[in-house]
Amino acid sequence: IFQGLYTGNNKIFRNRIIITKRKYDFIYVGKFIERKNLNILLGAFNKIKNLNIKVNLLLVGGKKQKSKNDVEVIPFSNSKRVAKLMGNSKCLILPSLEENWGVVVHESSCCGCLLILSNKVGAREEFLNKNGYEFDPNNQDDLILKMRKVLNLNKQDLQKKSYLSEEMSKKR
């Protein structure tokens, strides 16, 4: 991949912590606007929590709020801070209703994050293979299914998908 405006800087965004030791199960990085479809993400997350499944979610891009129901919200920061947060997260979720590209996909792949991307994210064609899952952004049950697939991965499969994400980030 050529470094530039629409790709992640793989000198900043890189794997920092072994995926099985990472603090956050899921991370979202982006604006808190309607087309980003955060309502479906939060709805899916809450339904999973209601099944008494231990899970947490980090939302980066909003105003700092006190953690509630295992959801942490923090504001945007510089690239190094965002890279550190991605490097401590297992899986990026990008539930957008419309996303022409999504540089955050490349950045999180560089960090070895698994990917759960809506079928409206343009970057999925370049970065999503066996390192995650695609879902219909209008179907909350589809997102829940994909999130549970990630949560149910054994240690070996989680590490394999993380490695595949890093490899995908280098090839594109």
Side-chain angles (χ1 to χ4, degrees):
I1 293 179
F2 296 104
Q3 298 287 321
L5 185 61
Y6 296 108
T7 63
N9 182 337
N10 59 13
K11 290 182 175 85
I12 295 172
F13 292 89
R14 64 186 185 280
N15 188 356
R16 292 175 163 31
I17 299 171
I18 296 168
I19 193 149
T20 56
K21 305 283 186 197
R22 295 182 185 189
K23 178 179 178 180
Y24 301 104
D25 295 307
F26 298 106
I27 185 171
Y28 164 84
V29 178
K31 294 180 180 180
F32 286 32
I33 57 176
E34 191 174 333
R35 76 174 172 86
K36 296 295 187 167
N37 204 21
L38 289 178
N39 287 338
I40 197 168
L41 172 56
L42 291 171
F45 179 81
N46 286 327
K47 283 188 176 184
I48 289 172
K49 288 292 295 180
N50 288 339
L51 297 172
N52 291 320
I53 295 172
K54 186 178 178 197
V55 61
N56 61 43
L57 171 65
L58 175 63
L59 303 174
V60 181
K63 294 180 181 173
K64 181 149 181 71
Q65 298 175 16
K66 188 174 180 181
S67 294
K68 186 170 114 178
N69 197 26
D70 293 312
V71 176
E72 189 174 338
V73 181
I74 63 170
F76 273 121
S77 187
N78 62 47
S79 296
K80 289 181 182 176
R81 173 77 171 131
V82 172
K84 187 175 180 180
L85 293 167
M86 284 182 177
N88 202 11
S89 301
K90 294 175 185 166
C91 181
L92 171 80
I93 300 178
L94 194 54
S96 302
L97 294 167
E98 173 189 340
E99 193 77 50
N100 292 330
W101 180 243
V103 71
V104 68
V105 175
H106 183 216
E107 293 168 343
S108 61
S109 288
C110 289
C111 293
C113 293
L114 281 65
L115 305 172
I116 298 178
L117 307 176
S118 95
N119 60 18
K120 304 296 183 189
V121 175
R124 80 186 185 291
E125 296 174 9
E126 294 294 322
F127 295 104
L128 186 62
N129 192 344
K130 295 179 180 176
N131 57 334
Y133 307 97
E134 179 179 312
F135 75 98
D136 176 351
N138 295 303
N139 184 337
Q140 188 177 69
D141 290 334
D142 191 21
L143 177 55
I144 291 168
L145 175 68
K146 302 312 179 351
M147 292 172 74
R148 291 192 69 185
K149 282 185 176 190
V150 169
L151 292 169
N152 290 327
L153 288 170
N154 64 40
K155 188 176 180 177
Q156 182 180 4
D157 288 339
L158 188 61
Q159 289 172 327
K160 183 178 178 181
K161 287 184 182 297
S162 175
Y163 173 79
L164 290 171
S165 244
E166 285 185 77
E167 290 303 303
M168 289 296 292
S169 77
K170 295 174 188 173
K171 291 181 181 179
R172 304 283 180 221

